[in-house]
Amino acid sequence: MSVPPDDVLRRIALFRRLPVDARTRIAQVARLKTYERGDLIFTEGDPGDVFIAIVTGRVKVFKSTPAGKEIILEIFGAGDPLGAVAVYEGMPFPASAITLEATECLRIDQPSFFKLLEQDPALVRGLLSGLTLRLAELTRRLAELTGARVETRFARLFLKLCDQIGQPARGGVFVGMPLSRQELADLTGTTIETAIRIMSRWQKEDVLHTEKDGFVIIDRGALDEASAS
Amino acid sequence: MSVPPDDVLRRIALFRRLPVDARTRIAQVARLKTYERGDLIFTEGDPGDVFIAIVTGRVKVFKSTPAGKEIILEIFGAGDPLGAVAVYEGMPFPASAITLEATECLRIDQPSFFKLLEQDPALVRGLLSGLTLRLAELTRRLAELTGARVETRFARLFLKLCDQIGQPARGGVFVGMPLSRQELADLTGTTIETAIRIMSRWQKEDVLHTEKDGFVIIDRGALDEASAS
DNA sequence: CGCGTCGTATGACGGCCGTCATGGTTCGCC
DNA sequence: GGCGAACCATGACGGCCGTCATACGACGCG
């Protein structure tokens, strides 16, 4: 744990637009913490008594289903807030968070966070719109997950990744997000075998190639078609 | 449309704890609107430029899947806020809302709502915790919907209803919420035929009886068992 | 090298459930 | 009563996909 300099705070989307003196107040109560790949940041049911934001790295937020499987709710990256959902009302976290790679997080304990909120209405507005966006996103995922074939869900997942972080390279569009077959399955709410089957077929049909550091989408048209049906 | 008296405002959970003068400020900008059963209150994609709360009646919030089916996100009753998700950032509504019965709603347009928020920090806190709760609920539903058998989802749905609004009567626990087979299907993300099949079987096996004004849960143990597997 | 672990891959089998088709019942309305 | 519109009900069929079993390559480790 260490005290964050101002340029680190400016990397958090929520804090970026605040005036400088507000960020210095934040710096006084925030602490940096580093995690290795695979570290648990918090677990479903933990008391939500801390606000967390990602400075560098990638974090997977997931929830266990009653049947014991796990489903990935979202994958967050640098600048995203993490504990905003629960820090209010001291609610327990509704899901767990685990790092996908070495990650640096900024942490503010609940009392300090509340004080900051009182001092800065812009922070509250930022939180509100963040929650709103996340709610809309979850709503969308809920509608997508139900009643569609697994292949359709896979196509939509990759189309979303393609549009969000894809960049032209290697004879197609490169998505620099390495995900295991298991993680793909958890993102789409299916089993690892089905995930492997679909990815193998797409590999053969030159729709999508798996590489060490991500995926290359070669035939976007095929994905568009699969996402429609 | 008419101006709401104070006792109506007190029926909205968000406003109940506010001081009287805050509610009189609200009364000056709020308007009452009545709907018949089956009226659309807003539609997915509409500009979210209004805050709505339910005074009396019941409202179904649903979203259409890409395949054209619809899935029910939640059923709201008296006291619940409706447009809170979207009124921030003027985002379009992520879902649609339709009345299940004759319903009375309170409406506040966006500029007035923002003014109220500025004047009353307690309102902002209330909104934040409301959003947080809804987010947790959606997260839970997402985990429940994926990878579980339909019968399991049905069991969990009725157990939830039973605990929330059930009351001992008619030889079991009575849930006073009439829902069509189609609506049950939309709540669990399945088709109307499967919904009918499950309900028919439970009717025969004396697990659950459908009545004109709701359901009577007779064998709760059977539901517990079905919800586990 | 031998071994265990992890991720990937492939096949067989079976059941849940989505789809289609048909028909009954209730209710409002002319 | 006649009619149409919802809603509820039931059966047949088929395919997706979850489950189980097996196998293979990569990698770390003693």
Side-chain angles (χ1 to χ4, degrees):
Chain A
M1 297 262 215
S2 63
V3 177
D6 191 72
D7 69 316
V8 161
L9 289 184
R10 241 191 318 241
R11 304 179 68 165
I12 311 294
L14 240 183
F15 302 151
R16 189 169 305 147
R17 296 184 183 173
L18 296 181
V20 181
D21 63 324
R23 274 204 304 278
T24 60
R25 279 201 302 273
I26 295 174
Q28 286 164 11
V29 293
R31 291 293 176 271
L32 276 179
K33 187 169 178 184
T34 59
Y35 297 88
E36 296 301 313
R37 168 189 163 87
D39 283 353
L40 268 169
I41 298 183
F42 53 78
T43 305
E44 185 177 345
D46 280 358
D49 53 3
V50 60
F51 170 86
I52 304 174
I54 306 174
V55 179
T56 60
R58 265 167 45 239
V59 174
K60 161 176 101 177
V61 176
F62 65 96
K63 185 173 173 66
S64 296
T65 71
K69 289 176 45 178
E70 71 182 44
I71 175 170
I72 297 182
L73 297 174
E74 206 137 357
I75 291 182
F76 286 122
D80 293 326
L82 254 189
V85 183
V87 73
Y88 242 79
E89 310 271 304
M91 251 179 69
F93 288 109
S96 309
I98 195 173
T99 57
L100 287 175
E101 54 197 48
T103 295
E104 209 174 5
C105 284
L106 184 140
R107 302 168 58 99
I108 304 175
D109 62 273
Q110 195 183 41
S112 307
F113 189 67
F114 279 173
K115 253 179 232 149
L116 290 174
L117 286 185
E118 279 171 24
Q119 290 168 342
D120 223 311
L123 251 188
V124 182
R125 278 201 298 276
L127 260 192
L128 260 178
S129 52
L131 280 182
T132 299
L133 282 175
R134 198 151 149 55
L135 207 45
E137 166 68 15
L138 265 190
T139 302
R140 210 180 48 77
R141 275 180 57 89
L142 196 64
E144 277 189 359
L145 263 180
T146 49
R149 297 189 4 217
V150 174
E151 182 177 318
T152 307
R153 303 205 291 265
F154 264 80
R156 283 201 270 259
L157 168 62
F158 279 109
L159 284 176
K160 184 183 150 199
L161 287 177
C162 182
D163 294 339
Q164 276 186 357
I165 59 169
Q167 45 196 332
R170 308 187 199 179
V173 178
F174 174 66
V175 174
M177 165 123 28
L179 294 167
S180 72
R181 303 301 192 226
Q182 181 66 62
E183 283 164 343
L184 289 175
D186 293 341
L187 272 166
T188 48
T190 183
T191 61
I192 187 173
E193 291 95 334
T194 304
I196 288 176
R197 268 182 255 270
I198 290 177
M199 295 299 288
S200 295
R201 201 175 66 246
W202 281 352
Q203 182 96 356
K204 270 198 213 104
E205 296 171 353
D206 279 335
V207 174
L208 191 94
H209 283 187
T210 302
E211 309 205 343
K212 268 198 63 172
D213 51 353
F215 306 92
V216 178
I217 292 160
I218 298 174
D219 186 354
R220 194 203 152 100
L223 290 186
D224 281 326
E225 197 173 336
S227 78
S229 56
Chain B
M1 298 264 214
S2 62
V3 177
D6 191 69
D7 70 315
V8 161
L9 288 184
R10 244 192 316 243
R11 305 179 65 164
I12 311 294
L14 204 78
F15 301 151
R16 190 170 305 146
R17 296 183 183 173
L18 295 181
V20 180
D21 64 323
R23 273 204 302 277
T24 58
R25 278 201 302 274
I26 295 175
Q28 286 165 10
V29 293
R31 292 294 176 271
L32 276 178
K33 187 169 179 185
T34 60
Y35 298 88
E36 297 302 312
R37 169 189 162 86
D39 282 353
L40 268 169
I41 298 182
F42 54 77
T43 305
E44 184 178 345
D46 280 359
D49 52 4
V50 61
F51 169 85
I52 304 174
I54 305 174
V55 179
T56 60
R58 266 167 46 239
V59 173
K60 162 175 100 177
V61 176
F62 65 96
K63 185 174 174 66
S64 296
T65 72
K69 287 177 46 180
E70 71 182 44
I71 175 170
I72 297 182
L73 296 173
E74 206 137 359
I75 291 181
F76 286 123
D80 293 326
L82 254 189
V85 184
V87 72
Y88 242 79
E89 309 273 303
M91 250 178 71
F93 288 107
S96 309
I98 194 172
T99 57
L100 288 175
E101 54 197 48
T103 295
E104 208 174 7
C105 285
L106 184 143
R107 302 167 58 99
I108 304 176
D109 62 274
Q110 194 182 40
S112 308
F113 189 67
F114 279 172
K115 254 179 230 147
L116 291 175
L117 286 184
E118 279 171 25
Q119 290 169 342
D120 223 312
L123 251 188
V124 181
R125 279 200 297 277
L127 260 192
L128 260 178
S129 53
L131 281 182
T132 301
L133 281 175
R134 196 151 153 55
L135 204 46
E137 165 69 15
L138 265 190
T139 302
R140 207 181 50 78
R141 276 181 56 88
L142 197 62
E144 277 189 0
L145 263 180
T146 48
R149 291 179 19 209
V150 174
E151 182 178 319
T152 307
R153 305 205 290 264
F154 264 80
R156 284 202 268 261
L157 168 62
F158 279 110
L159 285 176
K160 183 182 150 199
L161 287 177
C162 183
D163 293 339
Q164 276 186 358
I165 59 169
Q167 44 196 335
R170 310 188 197 176
V173 178
F174 174 66
V175 175
M177 164 124 29
L179 294 167
S180 71
R181 303 300 192 226
Q182 180 66 63
E183 281 163 344
L184 289 175
D186 293 343
L187 272 167
T188 48
T190 183
T191 60
I192 187 174
E193 292 95 334
T194 304
I196 288 176
R197 268 183 257 270
I198 290 177
M199 295 300 288
S200 296
R201 200 175 67 245
W202 281 352
Q203 181 96 354
K204 269 199 212 104
E205 295 172 355
D206 280 334
V207 175
L208 191 96
H209 282 186
T210 302
E211 308 207 343
K212 269 196 63 172
D213 51 354
F215 305 92
V216 178
I217 291 160
I218 298 173
D219 186 355
R220 196 204 150 99
L223 290 186
D224 281 325
E225 198 172 337
S227 78
S229 54

